[in-house]
Amino acid sequence: MNRLETIVELASKAKTVADIGCDHGKVGLSLFKNGNLKRLIATDISPKCLQKSNDLFKDKSYDYEGRVGDGLIPIKNNEVDTIILAGMGGELIRDILLNDIEKTNSFNEFIVCPHTSPDLIRKTFCELNYNRVKDIIVREDDKYYFIMKYVKSDKDDLIQNEDDYLYPNSLKLQNPILFCEYIEHELEVKRTILEKIEDIGTDRTMASAKKIIDEIKYLEELC
């Protein structure tokens, strides 16, 4: 499955959804076509981008509403069951989640696909007391993406190993071939960086090189 299909699969049982940063609106339309979705609120900070979603739904009879706004600001507390956050960097998603923690915690479920820093997302949701119930790796156009599903926990002290934020063992168990392809990709990136750093040869860069060498050793043991 590609990214869109995976997001739709993870949100397939949702009845009310807010698609934050919806852009073209295709995720929401696919969810309606699946038959379970009853109401969709699509938001985007850009009126021009939101218009693409509005145009997609204008001749359809679904319970759809488009709202212009930043992050979760256009959505009321408890207004939907499921929030979709996809197509943004991990740092931006983290900032959206932490902007109003009371509002964030009013939603039961999140489907998240960060373009960067998936480890930051895993850590943030753990700190917000959400269980990671799905974490799927997808390769698309020679890039690797992580699509995660989080559900609010009834526990107050979720604890997770720091290593599991970066390279969750669940990904290896779920799809060992794709996971190891991703690890090899990471190794290639780090080895290239290491070569450039070692060519510079200053005390500062050599300290950085030692750190990267340790990271490479760790990655080599994963597959």
Side-chain angles (χ1 to χ4, degrees):
M1 291 191 293
N2 61 26
R3 278 179 293 163
L4 189 151
E5 291 168 340
T6 304
I7 291 168
V8 170
E9 174 66 23
L10 292 185
S12 61
K13 295 182 179 179
K15 301 295 185 183
T16 56
V17 167
D19 186 3
I20 309 301
C22 64
D23 194 16
H24 44 57
K26 292 180 181 178
V27 169
L29 183 59
S30 295
L31 286 171
F32 273 123
K33 287 181 176 179
N34 275 0
N36 287 324
L37 186 64
K38 303 301 181 185
R39 174 165 168 73
L40 172 69
I41 302 171
T43 79
D44 205 289
I45 195 171
S46 163
K48 184 177 179 180
C49 287
L50 182 63
Q51 190 59 47
K52 290 187 287 185
S53 180
N54 291 343
D55 289 344
L56 186 66
F57 282 92
K58 67 180 179 181
D59 296 325
K60 297 175 176 62
S61 59
Y62 298 122
D63 187 355
Y64 165 88
E65 181 182 355
R67 299 177 187 174
V68 175
D70 189 5
L72 296 176
I73 292 172
I75 309 299
K76 299 175 184 177
N77 289 30
N78 297 301
E79 190 172 11
V80 297
D81 298 324
T82 300
I83 300 286
I84 295 175
L85 286 159
M88 311 171 211
E91 292 83 0
L92 176 56
I93 293 176
R94 185 267 317 273
D95 291 346
I96 288 172
L97 295 170
L98 299 183
N99 181 62
D100 186 340
I101 293 177
E102 181 182 350
K103 177 178 285 188
T104 296
N105 282 326
S106 76
F107 305 114
N108 182 61
E109 183 176 276
F110 285 82
I111 311 296
V112 189
C113 180
H115 279 183
T116 60
S117 306
D119 55 311
L120 181 61
I121 297 302
R122 295 181 184 111
K123 183 175 183 179
T124 300
F125 271 106
C126 184
E127 292 172 347
L128 288 170
N129 221 45
Y130 280 80
N131 276 321
R132 182 171 13 126
V133 296
K134 288 286 185 180
D135 196 339
I136 298 171
I137 185 170
V138 173
R139 185 180 63 213
E140 191 173 299
D141 298 328
D142 294 324
K143 295 182 180 179
Y144 295 88
Y145 300 93
F146 300 90
I147 304 168
M148 312 167 204
K149 180 175 182 176
Y150 289 90
V151 174
K152 191 167 180 57
S153 174
D154 56 1
K155 298 180 181 179
D156 295 326
D157 56 348
L158 289 180
I159 299 174
Q160 203 154 17
N161 188 307
E162 287 285 336
D163 289 341
D164 200 47
Y165 295 140
L166 279 168
Y167 308 106
N169 189 55
S170 59
L171 291 176
K172 184 176 182 179
L173 294 174
Q174 169 202 134
N175 193 333
I177 294 175
L178 189 55
F179 176 79
C180 288
E181 286 180 7
Y182 169 67
I183 295 299
E184 186 56 40
H185 166 77
E186 290 285 281
L187 282 167
E188 288 178 9
V189 171
K190 292 184 183 296
R191 286 166 180 154
T192 300
I193 294 172
L194 181 61
E195 286 181 14
K196 293 178 180 179
I197 288 176
E198 289 178 333
D199 286 343
I200 297 172
T202 65
D203 290 343
R204 184 174 180 180
T205 57
M206 294 312 291
S208 298
K210 184 180 183 306
K211 180 181 178 183
I212 294 175
I213 289 170
D214 290 340
E215 292 173 352
I216 288 173
K217 289 179 179 178
Y218 174 74
L219 289 174
E220 288 174 338
E221 293 175 356
L222 290 180
C223 286

